[in-house]
Amino acid sequence: MGKNPQNRVRLRPVDLARPHGLSTQAVRNYEEAGILPAAARTESGYRTYSPLHAQALDTFLALLPGHGHPTATGIMRAVNRGADGEAFRLIDESHAQLLEDRRTLSAVENALRDLGSGAPKPRDPAPGTLPPGTPAPGEPESRPPAPAAPAPAAPAPPEGPTPTPIPAPTFIGPLADRLSVRPATLRKWEAAGLVRPRRDPLTGYRVYGEAEVRNARLVHQLRRGGYLLEQIAPLVDQVRAAGGLEPLEAALGDWRSRLATRGRALLTGAVKLDAYLNEQERERQSRGVLRISS
């Protein structure tokens, strides 16, 4: 029975490294990490590789963009020791994470649409000045706001839900009332770093400026969508870093593009991995025939 051509070709570490712009030390490191199968050794102790090793390296580098280094390493370690089921589980987790990221992006986009344009920018109140409905000094922040004087009838709103502007700056009681949450909830969001109200220098009350009212509404929308505080925190950080919602909308377009790139990379890695698994199987079968015939 003829030998597998893979076993007749000897490659040096540099032969694997050069096509990818890697160092020979990187190739050795990949072998030691289990990303490549163990190399054969010459009588002098030098490593020799086969085309299967070159294919393993190609596969690992194709997996990297979609899965990241730790998961790509885990996949290659698993298939090299014959634990294909473990490799498939890791692949499933990457696809599940991509789907979750897509859902998060969709939730953020929906939350931004729900926020609407909001109210016009008011000026910050002078220190110690309390807006209507805010408790006087010495009274608890969470006291329900006093009923406002009746306002003239407004024109009927257009059909369909429209976001209700929340005047800013405001205090914790009025803001909690407009969001239909308890003041304790706003304090919890503050402890988690999701909102950062300043303190009035005279009364010590929390003052929510326009940016923090916006953040509170964003958190509220995402919590209604079932997202945990630890999942919301990075999104609020992105809003702060972008300087508001309008710059973030451009960042969301980039986010959408990166998710598409990741999805395509997962497909590319899958094609390479499938070819590598097929070649592994052919080599195993060839070795099995040789052992039987010997």
Side-chain angles (χ1 to χ4, degrees):
M1 190 68 63
K3 292 183 179 181
N4 186 339
Q6 292 268 14
N7 298 327
R8 296 199 297 263
V9 179
R10 290 186 175 185
L11 300 174
R12 302 164 299 167
V14 68
D15 297 323
L16 271 64
R18 186 180 291 127
H20 301 289
L22 300 172
S23 67
T24 56
Q25 183 59 52
V27 172
R28 289 190 287 269
N29 291 343
Y30 288 154
E31 181 194 345
E32 291 170 1
I35 293 167
L36 307 182
R41 296 277 184 165
T42 66
E43 291 181 359
S44 305
Y46 291 107
R47 287 177 171 88
T48 61
Y49 297 106
S50 71
L52 185 67
H53 292 89
Q55 193 170 358
L57 181 57
D58 288 345
T59 301
F60 172 68
L61 296 177
L63 291 170
L64 276 177
H67 295 276
H69 197 284
T71 300
T73 298
I75 292 169
M76 293 304 297
R77 283 175 173 169
V79 298
N80 286 333
R81 68 174 187 268
D84 293 357
E86 172 66 12
F88 298 152
R89 183 189 65 79
L90 292 171
I91 292 168
D92 290 344
E93 287 181 354
S94 289
H95 282 278
Q97 182 61 58
L98 179 60
L99 178 60
E100 182 62 26
D101 290 347
R102 289 189 187 281
R103 288 172 173 164
T104 299
L105 172 61
S106 178
V108 173
E109 290 174 330
N110 291 337
L112 293 182
R113 281 194 293 269
D114 290 343
L115 290 180
S117 58
K121 256 187 176 179
R123 292 178 298 178
D124 281 349
T129 302
L130 306 180
T134 303
E139 296 179 333
E141 286 184 293
S142 56
R143 176 182 175 183
E159 292 185 5
T162 55
T164 303
I166 299 178
T170 188
F171 289 73
I172 192 168
L175 179 58
D177 184 61
R178 297 299 289 270
L179 293 177
S180 299
V181 300
R182 296 178 301 168
T185 299
L186 286 171
R187 287 192 285 268
K188 184 177 180 180
W189 294 352
E190 181 183 350
L194 302 177
V195 291
R196 299 172 182 172
R198 64 178 179 84
R199 291 281 185 165
D200 184 284
L202 296 183
T203 65
Y205 288 154
R206 295 170 172 84
V207 179
Y208 295 81
E210 183 186 15
E212 295 314 313
V213 168
R214 174 204 67 205
N215 292 343
R217 293 193 64 175
L218 178 59
V219 173
H220 184 236
Q221 292 291 342
L222 292 172
R223 288 293 291 140
R224 289 177 61 187
Y227 288 86
L228 303 176
L229 296 185
E230 54 266 30
Q231 294 173 309
I232 297 172
L235 306 178
V236 175
D237 288 342
Q238 288 184 34
V239 173
R240 289 195 182 104
L245 297 178
E246 290 184 7
L248 183 63
E249 288 173 0
L252 293 180
D254 178 64
W255 187 359
R256 195 179 305 109
S257 175
R258 285 186 283 111
L259 290 180
T261 299
R262 239 172 79 202
R264 184 70 179 267
L266 288 174
L267 291 177
T268 302
V271 170
K272 289 281 191 180
L273 181 62
D274 183 62
Y276 179 62
L277 289 172
N278 287 335
E279 191 57 45
Q280 271 191 328
E281 184 60 29
R282 280 192 290 269
E283 181 167 302
R284 288 191 187 109
Q285 290 175 357
S286 174
R287 287 177 176 175
V289 169
L290 287 173
R291 283 197 297 270
I292 293 171
S293 62
S294 62

